[in-house]
Amino acid sequence: MSVEYWTTHSLDKLFPQSEMPARAAREIRLKAAGNESEDAQIVVRPTRTLTRARVSFTHLQTPGGSRIDAGQISGHWQWYTYVLRNPPHSKDPSSWLRDAPNFFPDAFVEDEEIRIASDWTQAMWVRIRIPAQQEPGEYHGRAMLCYETDDGERAEQTIPISLTVWPFSLPGEKSFRHTEWFSARALATWYNLKEWSEEHWEWIEKCAMDMFDHHQDTILTSFHDLVTVTEKSAGTWDFDFTQLDRWIELFRKHGVTFIECGHIAGQRAWGQAFIWRRFPVFDEAGREIESYGPEQMDERDFAAPMERFLKGIYAHLEERFGLERLMQHIADEPLADNMDSWVAISEQVKSWLPDGIPNIDAVICEELIGKVDIRVPQLQEIKAEAPAAADEELWSYTCLAPQGHHPNRFLDFESIRNRIIFWINFSRNLGGYLHWGYNQWHPWGPPRPKSVKLSPWTDAAAMTIYNTDWQPLPAGDPHIVYPGAESICSSIRWEVVRKGIEDIELLRMLENAAAAAPSNDPNRNAAAALLDNIRTDLACDSQNYTRSEEDLLSAREQAGDLLARLVS
């Protein structure tokens, strides 16, 4: 046989040199709830070049005739991204999966049929979507691997699929908030589109649909980009909310319903006091009025235009959409050195906005505990004994930090260190997760040569691999999706984020069901023991968590089996 093939679980990462294990599986066996997706991988390693390789799927059926249509099963070939260096602040080689430079699997390509070179290992990501309220039971079907070699040999291999559907469904609207910062400008730049043209909006809509498909329910919304202010001759302001309204309507149409109103202040330089982010004001001829700029209006005087700006926007939002599901950023990542300026601006803004609008920010200092309605520390600051205010909501975030042995979602980290982020969020009872890099496909740091086009397909670090005098980014930090020819392309890391959020919902359902069960129910006690083990051992915090893929997957399966018994 000119092809070796096998199957593996979703936390495994395959490399071009990966060889078939001695006891490799050749079937897919999964368990999942309704309104959940579950994943596996099909791996191909030919001894002769395959000029064509593709995989198709049958329906999944129970002996009693219940069916999951083949259209609910997708397969995506994985792309290897070249990583030049490992995370710059990680000094211990055991803290990453493989040494760079190297190829690491991540992006999904759009091609259903591909060429695979001889002695090259190629994996396909298989995702099975289980509809809400799907009839529970044992479902069976198959995947067909079809290929043709360079000497004309054609063959087909059959891979059995078995799926157990548990007798419950995950909630449609998740209890856990999730935001990945999206750049409409990066989207327009990549596809060479005029900003806010109809074609641009079509691509924005594709992103909104992709976000909802991966349980992102919160969208960063920049008033500076979406609202136009014109000053009339009498000094009155006209607001054009056309783009803002279309933005909110589009994302909410596709299930991204929480509006994360953008930052209104920033730092001149790292650690310096926060200042207002200026927005342009135009005259009736469409010219920007210079008197509102920093050269002619000082920082203290700009507070009045900012108040006018925010009050006008929120009056419109209240009338058009209501004030529910809104949150307001002040400024990103305040430190102990500049927190006083953050507090001053926050108090001003709070006095201008309608009651009940929470502020939210990623913060790097504990001194702001109790001063941020939705406080978002970095993951490594979240510990069992970490202080918190009684009236604050606590989220977490990751970015280019933490590195070392902490969890994060870099390309050269194991997938479990991405997925465990969400188990830690469960363990610490957090309300949401934030990351800055949905599609930041633009260069980071000093300008690049104008003849060089940045591509996330070949540069996972936003050009920082060539910058020696600038903070380098770890591989994959700027983006978790890739620009396709016809669609937004997912990645291993993006699918693992989706699974992590589904895990949170499963564990919360188990916790609620166990609490409601009779005290003498053995499943209640078993669930309590499992949840306690998760919180104290498997996913305690970013320094105390399992690196065992088998242990994590086993804990998820135990959680589902226990919940199935508790609800039956």
Side-chain angles (χ1 to χ4, degrees):
M1 186 171 63
S2 56
V3 171
E4 293 182 332
Y5 70 95
W6 68 96
T7 62
T8 187
H9 57 76
S10 60
L11 292 179
D12 200 2
K13 278 193 174 181
L14 287 305
F15 292 85
Q17 307 83 8
S18 296
E19 296 184 353
M20 186 170 72
R23 297 181 179 180
R26 284 190 169 175
E27 62 178 348
I28 294 173
R29 300 184 66 86
L30 301 171
K31 292 184 178 183
N35 204 35
E36 183 180 19
S37 293
E38 188 57 3
D39 311 88
Q41 297 179 83
I42 296 172
V43 191
V44 180
R45 183 174 176 83
T47 56
R48 295 190 62 92
T49 295
L50 304 186
T51 55
R52 295 189 301 168
R54 65 184 300 132
V55 176
S56 59
F57 304 93
T58 67
H59 306 307
L60 304 182
Q61 293 189 219
T62 66
S66 296
R67 189 171 87 169
I68 296 174
D69 289 340
Q72 300 290 346
I73 311 174
S74 59
H76 291 282
W77 295 108
Q78 298 168 20
W79 172 263
Y80 291 109
T81 300
Y82 189 70
V83 174
L84 183 65
R85 65 182 174 201
N86 300 112
H89 299 307
S90 297
K91 306 305 180 185
D92 182 356
S94 68
S95 68
W96 52 75
L97 184 55
R98 285 194 172 193
D99 288 345
N102 217 323
F103 286 106
F104 287 84
D106 194 44
F108 296 171
V109 300
E110 293 171 299
D111 308 72
E112 294 183 1
E113 187 173 274
I114 63 169
R115 176 184 181 274
I116 306 176
S118 62
D119 302 316
W120 178 274
T121 299
Q122 179 64 57
M124 168 176 276
W125 188 274
V126 177
R127 175 178 174 181
I128 303 177
R129 294 171 169 84
I130 297 88
Q133 309 307 320
Q134 181 69 34
E135 184 73 23
E138 301 295 326
Y139 290 76
H140 300 278
R142 61 190 184 277
M144 285 78 67
L145 168 64
C146 303
Y147 56 86
E148 181 176 342
T149 65
D150 56 1
D151 63 354
E153 176 194 353
R154 294 183 180 182
E156 177 178 302
Q157 307 295 340
T158 298
I159 300 167
I161 301 175
S162 300
L163 170 68
T164 300
V165 175
W166 287 313
F168 57 86
S169 292
L170 299 187
E173 180 168 271
K174 304 298 182 278
S175 63
F176 186 78
R177 304 283 76 81
H178 173 209
T179 180
E180 307 274 341
W181 288 355
F182 165 64
S183 172
R185 182 158 296 144
L187 192 70
T189 300
W190 175 266
Y191 290 105
N192 196 26
L193 305 173
K194 181 180 178 181
E195 282 193 75
W196 315 121
S197 64
E198 287 304 310
E199 193 174 5
H200 188 207
W201 280 108
E202 288 173 7
W203 276 100
I204 292 172
E205 186 163 21
K206 291 179 182 181
C207 292
M209 296 168 69
D210 174 70
M211 290 172 187
F212 180 71
D213 189 44
H214 294 82
H215 308 313
Q216 176 172 343
D217 60 3
T218 304
I219 184 66
L220 183 66
T221 299
S222 171
F223 295 154
H224 290 65
D225 295 329
L226 295 166
V227 177
T228 302
V229 178
T230 301
E231 185 168 278
K232 301 296 185 179
S233 56
T236 59
W237 280 7
D238 275 358
F239 290 85
D240 184 348
F241 297 114
T242 304
Q243 308 291 23
L244 177 63
D245 290 352
R246 185 170 182 177
W247 177 278
I248 293 174
E249 288 167 356
L250 183 151
F251 280 98
R252 286 189 166 174
K253 169 187 172 184
H254 292 292
V256 185
T257 60
F258 288 86
I259 306 302
E260 182 188 0
C261 304
H263 305 85
I264 55 175
Q267 307 174 60
R268 281 194 180 94
W270 184 251
Q272 292 187 3
F274 287 102
I275 59 175
W276 298 114
R277 283 189 63 215
R278 303 292 173 119
F279 56 87
V281 180
F282 299 96
D283 64 21
E284 293 180 271
R287 298 178 298 247
E288 187 172 346
I289 300 173
E290 295 181 358
S291 60
Y292 287 100
E295 295 80 10
Q296 298 190 31
M297 182 176 289
D298 69 23
E299 185 66 14
R300 287 173 298 179
D301 291 340
F302 194 75
M306 181 60 77
E307 177 182 5
R308 195 175 178 185
F309 183 62
L310 290 176
K311 283 184 173 179
I313 292 171
Y314 272 91
H316 173 76
L317 291 174
E318 184 171 19
E319 180 182 354
R320 181 68 181 266
F321 300 103
L323 297 176
E324 294 182 353
R325 300 188 176 226
L326 300 181
M327 57 194 84
Q328 177 65 59
H329 277 288
I330 304 300
D332 194 32
E333 295 186 319
L335 310 164
D337 291 343
N338 58 17
M339 61 165 285
D340 290 343
S341 62
W342 185 95
V343 170
I345 291 174
S346 175
E347 289 176 348
Q348 273 189 301
V349 171
K350 190 73 107 172
S351 71
W352 300 338
L353 300 189
D355 291 340
I357 303 296
N359 59 31
I360 175 174
D361 267 322
V363 300
I364 309 183
C365 59
E366 289 188 349
E367 290 85 351
L368 284 173
I369 293 173
K371 300 181 185 300
V372 190
D373 298 318
I374 303 174
R375 185 167 62 91
V376 190
Q378 285 185 357
L379 184 70
Q380 74 273 20
E381 303 301 328
I382 305 291
K383 302 180 178 68
E385 70 280 4
D391 58 348
E392 71 179 0
E393 183 176 345
L394 201 59
W395 294 15
S396 72
Y397 83 105
T398 60
C399 53
L400 67 159
Q403 297 182 26
H405 286 278
H406 295 284
N408 214 318
R409 64 190 209 187
F410 307 140
L411 261 78
D412 48 351
F413 277 15
E414 308 97 314
S415 286
I416 190 174
R417 294 171 66 189
N418 178 356
R419 191 161 170 179
I420 203 72
I421 290 171
F422 301 93
W423 288 63
I424 293 170
N425 274 262
F426 166 78
S427 292
R428 304 277 67 85
N429 300 312
L430 305 187
Y433 171 75
L434 179 154
H435 196 286
W436 76 284
Y438 177 78
N439 70 323
Q440 310 295 337
W441 301 325
H442 47 76
W444 171 270
R448 72 187 190 281
K450 62 182 179 182
S451 58
V452 178
K453 182 175 174 62
L454 174 68
S455 171
W457 292 95
T458 55
D459 182 352
M463 200 64 76
T464 62
I465 56 176
Y466 300 110
N467 298 333
T468 59
D469 59 345
W470 190 266
Q471 170 69 59
L473 294 178
D477 189 45
H479 63 273
I480 202 161
V481 297
Y482 292 75
E486 299 175 356
S487 63
I488 298 299
C489 294
S490 187
S491 66
I492 293 174
R493 294 174 300 128
W494 194 213
E495 299 305 312
V496 171
V497 167
R498 168 183 56 78
K499 277 309 305 175
I501 293 174
E502 291 174 355
D503 293 340
I504 288 177
E505 300 301 328
L506 172 63
L507 295 173
R508 287 179 173 175
M509 287 180 68
L510 175 62
E511 189 166 47
N512 292 335
S519 59
N520 61 349
D521 187 336
N523 295 305
R524 171 182 173 140
N525 298 331
L530 174 63
L531 294 168
D532 181 66
N533 183 53
I534 290 168
R535 288 193 165 106
T536 59
D537 187 21
L538 253 64
C540 180
D541 56 40
S542 75
Q543 292 179 305
N544 301 282
Y545 66 93
T546 184
R547 300 282 282 269
S548 167
E549 298 159 353
E550 292 75 15
D551 286 354
L552 191 75
L553 295 174
S554 174
R556 174 195 170 270
E557 184 171 323
Q558 289 177 60
D561 288 345
L562 281 166
L563 182 55
R565 293 197 290 270
L566 283 164
V567 301
S568 296

